[in-house]
Amino acid sequence: MSDFQERSPLTSVTSLGAEQLVPKVVIREGLLLFILAAIQFTNVMDFVIMMPLGPQLMRVFDINPSQFGLVVSAYTFSAAVSGFCSAFYIDRLDRKKALLGLYLGFAIGTALCALAPTFELLVAARVVAGLFGGVLGALVLAIIGDAIPEERRGAATGKVMASFSIASIAGIPVGLYLASKTSWHAPFYLLAGMSLLVLGLAMKFLPELKGHLTNAPHEKPHKVLLNILRNKNLLWALLMVVILQLAGFTVVPFVSPYMVANIGFEEAELSYIYLFGGLATVVTSQLAGRLADKYGKKRVYIISALFSIIPILAITHLPRMEHYLVFIVTTIFFIVFGARFVPAMSLITSSVEPKQRGSFMSINSSVQQAASGMAAFLSGLIVQKASNGELLHFGTVGILASVATVVSIFAILKLKQVS
């Protein structure tokens, strides 16, 4: 049976009154995952395009690595705040309506990025985009947790997370090409237009997603937070998210600037890094999801995490060399980066009961975005620009990321699946 033919019941309703309030529906898994992946594609694209645009932004606005780190972290810190606030009410809302509202706000924020004429206004626009984009990603994962049975959740997560690969294959190269031919504004104009098209698609084809409301908590906001903080398993999940971001997001923002400043890449060549990495991970991310379902999410994560230390150290210590060798290193880096992220997020999604999933995933998103911002800001403080334009101390960042990767293994061993 194909993905578009597979169907999955949402959370069942036991009482007649509840059925009338929250009717049972049957959804097409393939169509649902396609729409979620399209939303996640634009969301991911809006975020990751900042990294390869780094050299151009640093040149156009005449900013240093620390200021560039601020551009990246402005989005993540903003998303952290909105994710925390949304945790107190997100489980009381129809998932579809919440998703559409957040996506509209995200599209507006992306349009503001396209229109920003100065560094300060760009930072402000990134704050607006982060207010909606961060919660949007959490809600996508919550919907997967609600609608997809646990035995297929890893594969489903892999399919939606493959949006990062597709963004790398198509979105980033196209965005960089437009930026090189016109200006850095162009990719954001393209994203804003695409977001409006996907919004129309979601409005038409997404089903009602109210099954979680049957058991939705109606506690006061402080009790929602206390319920999470009192749950030892969820605390381990949040710690895992923090460590995972330190293990990756200290490195990722400065890959492109390092390639230009230290390896001798032209800005236009950066698209090949993401093209080759995306082509590889569009397959390997889904494979990691299927392997996680078959052999265990913890086992697949541990193997991927240990192997990832090699390309992390390699990419942060690269000397000047033939570019085809650099492409091999960066492609392997992206493969293992996705291979460890898919089982980790699938396990985190399964660590919470459905009635708390929306609230927890919002808190999780808040913590994730805050950790991403701290990681990017920290690496911006470590990395320095030499008088000849080269970046210094990127190797130190790689060592930090490797240590965090090892620590993450101990954290994930503490996690338990409950749903």
Side-chain angles (χ1 to χ4, degrees), residues 36-175:
L36 293 180
I39 290 173
Q40 194 72 342
F41 167 80
T42 51
N43 190 16
V44 167
M45 178 66 182
D46 175 86
F47 181 61
V48 300
I49 191 63
M50 292 302 299
M51 273 65 86
L53 285 177
Q56 186 173 151
L57 291 173
M58 292 172 70
R59 173 172 48 80
V60 170
F61 292 124
D62 191 24
I63 57 177
N64 57 39
S66 179
Q67 290 172 302
F68 172 63
L70 178 61
V71 176
V72 176
S73 59
Y75 179 101
T76 56
F77 286 139
S78 173
V81 172
S82 63
F84 180 80
C85 295
S86 69
F88 303 123
Y89 61 83
I90 197 72
D91 278 325
R92 302 184 185 187
L93 303 175
D94 174 1
R95 300 281 198 228
K96 178 179 180 178
K97 291 180 180 178
L99 189 71
L100 294 178
L102 288 169
Y103 197 47
L104 176 61
F106 164 78
I108 293 172
T110 301
L112 291 176
C113 292
L115 295 170
T118 66
F119 169 73
E120 292 76 14
L121 288 177
L122 176 61
V123 172
R126 296 308 293 161
V127 169
V128 175
L131 284 174
F132 298 96
V135 185
L136 192 63
L139 191 55
V140 166
L141 290 174
I143 291 172
I144 292 174
D146 288 347
I148 309 299
E150 197 280 330
E151 62 270 16
R152 295 198 299 277
R153 201 170 292 156
T157 303
K159 289 177 181 178
V160 174
M161 290 301 173
S163 57
F164 175 83
S165 304
I166 298 171
S168 300
I169 294 169
I172 292 178
V174 170

Side-chain angles (χ1 to χ4, degrees), residues 194-232:
M194 289 180 62
S195 298
L196 292 177
L197 290 176
V198 175
L199 179 64
L201 183 70
M203 291 176 64
K204 181 174 178 62
F205 292 108
L206 270 185
E208 295 286 320
L209 297 166
K210 298 181 179 180
H212 67 289
L213 293 177
T214 305
N215 299 310
H218 295 286
E219 297 98 339
K220 293 181 179 179
H222 72 279
K223 288 188 176 181
V224 174
L225 182 60
L226 284 176
N227 287 339
I228 293 174
L229 295 178
R230 289 170 179 168
N231 189 317
K232 187 176 180 180

Side-chain angles (χ1 to χ4, degrees), residues 385-397:
K385 183 183 288 187
S387 57
N388 62 356
E390 292 190 354
L391 299 183
L392 306 175
H393 311 309
F394 196 36
T396 303
V397 171

Side-chain angles (χ1 to χ4, degrees), residues 10 49 103 178 181 200 213-214 244 268 306 321-322 339 341 415:
L10 291 176
I49 191 63
Y103 197 47
L178 291 175
K181 294 298 181 182
L213 293 177
T214 305
L244 193 62
L306 288 174
M321 60 173 61
E322 295 293 333
F341 193 74
L415 274 181

Side-chain angles (χ1 to χ4, degrees), residues 165-367:
S165 304
I166 298 171
S168 300
I169 294 169
I172 292 178
V174 170
L176 284 175
Y177 176 80
L178 291 175
S180 65
K181 294 298 181 182
T182 55
S183 74
W184 65 266
H185 300 270
F188 293 103
Y189 280 117
L190 176 64
L191 273 174
M194 289 180 62
S195 298
L196 292 177
L197 290 176
V198 175
L199 179 64
L201 183 70
M203 291 176 64
K204 181 174 178 62
F205 292 108
L206 270 185
E208 295 286 320
L209 297 166
K210 298 181 179 180
H212 67 289
L213 293 177
T214 305
N215 299 310
H218 295 286
E219 297 98 339
K220 293 181 179 179
H222 72 279
K223 288 188 176 181
V224 174
L225 182 60
L226 284 176
N227 287 339
I228 293 174
L229 295 178
R230 289 170 179 168
N231 189 317
K232 187 176 180 180
N233 194 47
L234 297 185
L235 291 179
W236 278 113
L238 294 177
L239 179 61
M240 176 63 193
V241 168
V242 173
I243 300 171
L244 193 62
Q245 295 309 106
L246 289 174
F249 219 73
T250 46
V251 176
V252 172
F254 286 95
V255 169
S256 291
Y258 185 81
M259 293 301 159
V260 172
N262 292 54
I263 310 301
F265 272 59
E266 298 293 333
E267 290 180 10
E269 288 182 280
L270 293 174
S271 61
Y272 293 108
I273 293 176
Y274 296 91
L275 174 63
F276 297 145
L279 285 171
T281 55
V282 75
V283 176
T284 56
S285 291
Q286 296 185 61
L287 177 61
R290 290 194 293 269
L291 290 175
D293 287 336
K294 184 175 182 180
Y295 296 107
K297 298 172 179 62
K298 291 183 180 181
R299 179 181 297 180
V300 172
Y301 176 81
I302 292 171
I303 294 172
S304 301
L306 288 174
F307 185 74
S308 71
I309 294 174
I310 300 173
I312 286 174
L313 292 176
I315 202 170
T316 54
H317 289 82
L318 279 179
R320 285 184 179 265
M321 60 173 61
E322 295 293 333
H323 290 186
Y324 76 90
L325 294 175
V326 177
F327 292 140
I328 294 174
V329 175
T330 56
T331 299
I332 295 174
F333 172 80
F334 282 117
I335 288 174
V336 295
F337 190 82
R340 69 184 187 180
F341 193 74
V342 169
M345 293 311 299
S346 180
L347 186 60
I348 289 170
T349 304
S350 301
S351 68
V352 58
E353 296 178 356
K355 65 181 181 180
Q356 283 185 294
R357 184 169 283 128
S359 296
F360 172 72
M361 292 310 294
S362 291
I363 291 290
N364 175 77
S365 174
S366 176
V367 172

